[in-house]
Amino acid sequence: YIGAIEDYNVVVKLRPKDSIAYVNLAAARVQINDLYGALMDIRKALKLNPKYEWAYYNRGVIRHFREKFSQAIGDFEMVREISTDARLVSLAISSVGAVMQDRGELEKAINNFDLAIETDPENHRAYFNRATIKLDSGELRGALSDYDLAIRYMPFNSDYYVYRGLTKISLDDMEGAWHDINKAIGLNPKNSLAYFYRGQLRQMLGD
């Protein structure tokens, strides 16, 4: 991400009124946990274009990371007001759900995930987050169904396979769990959670 930041910095020097470049620069800064720098870039983008929906969305994500929950929800709601892009609106709705989930307001979170999926049936994040709530509440079949859909629409996310594998362990589908957790490691050999659950699975199988 350092290389991306360097390139976007060149862009904003050459095109200082490019609001898209500032938002992309902010998104890259988030990846290296430079949240303050990212917020400054978002501020510049919104000064250039006060109706740029991606600026509000990314600011909401940053505020969520910083546990500024009410401010984050405000940004995501602004996206819903000004955007005509159904996929972005769905992302914003599911992001409100994720904030609610972190606040422990699980019924409200589920309602937002349901609405996000209704808005964009391919919103893999909404399926994944809804599945985690179902898994924690013991609704294993429902969780498995949502993890299946998350993977259908985003088959390259290592964590999705880990959590589906964990669900399969709870359903006594050890073969399916083994396949999913190994798939997760294949996608991301640095996924420590995948190794942890594979270790547990090996213990259970006496390996």
Side-chain angles (χ1 to χ4, degrees):
Y1 297 103
I2 298 299
I5 291 170
E6 291 175 351
D7 283 344
Y8 286 130
N9 271 319
V10 172
V11 175
V12 298
K13 287 179 181 177
L14 296 173
R15 300 204 306 261
K17 295 185 178 181
D18 189 335
S19 59
I20 296 174
Y22 278 111
V23 170
N24 289 353
L25 176 57
R29 289 193 197 278
V30 169
Q31 298 299 323
I32 63 168
N33 206 34
D34 179 12
L35 301 185
Y36 177 79
L39 281 173
M40 293 302 99
D41 289 330
I42 294 292
R43 179 180 296 177
K44 292 173 184 176
L46 286 172
K47 186 175 181 180
L48 291 166
N49 182 0
K51 295 292 186 180
Y52 187 32
E53 61 264 43
W54 279 104
Y56 288 104
Y57 176 76
N58 281 279
R59 189 172 69 178
V61 171
I62 295 165
R63 285 173 163 173
H64 186 185
F65 285 156
R66 299 180 73 195
E67 298 186 350
K68 305 290 185 181
F69 295 140
S70 295
Q71 292 179 356
I73 290 172
D75 281 333
F76 296 136
E77 292 296 344
M78 179 63 75
V79 174
R80 294 183 65 184
E81 289 180 21
I82 65 178
S83 180
T84 58
D85 181 341
R87 290 195 172 188
L88 178 55
V89 170
S90 178
L91 279 176
I93 296 169
S94 62
S95 294
V96 171
V99 173
M100 296 298 182
Q101 188 173 3
D102 285 348
R103 285 170 31 167
E105 299 178 42
L106 301 185
E107 184 176 349
K108 290 181 179 178
I110 287 285
N111 289 340
N112 276 279
F113 296 141
D114 289 346
L115 180 57
I117 290 165
E118 181 181 335
T119 305
D120 174 17
E122 297 185 8
N123 185 336
H124 58 91
R125 296 179 189 178
Y127 288 115
F128 176 78
N129 286 330
R130 190 172 70 178
T132 61
I133 294 176
K134 290 179 179 179
L135 177 61
D136 289 342
S137 67
E139 192 182 338
L140 299 180
R141 291 294 176 185
L144 182 61
S145 177
D146 277 345
Y147 286 132
D148 286 345
L149 289 163
I151 288 169
R152 176 188 298 177
Y153 297 119
M154 178 50 67
F156 307 112
N157 188 306
S158 178
D159 286 340
Y160 290 4
Y161 289 94
V162 172
Y163 281 91
R164 188 172 72 173
L166 180 58
T167 305
K168 288 179 178 179
I169 290 174
S170 298
L171 289 166
D172 292 323
D173 178 9
M174 301 307 178
E175 183 178 350
W178 181 260
H179 175 272
D180 276 348
I181 292 172
N182 280 305
K183 177 70 173 181
I185 292 170
L187 288 169
N188 179 10
K190 294 183 179 181
N191 189 330
S192 60
L193 199 61
Y195 289 103
F196 178 83
Y197 285 120
R198 191 170 72 174
Q200 281 197 336
L201 184 56
R202 280 178 158 161
Q203 277 187 308
M204 295 170 70
L205 296 173
D207 182 4

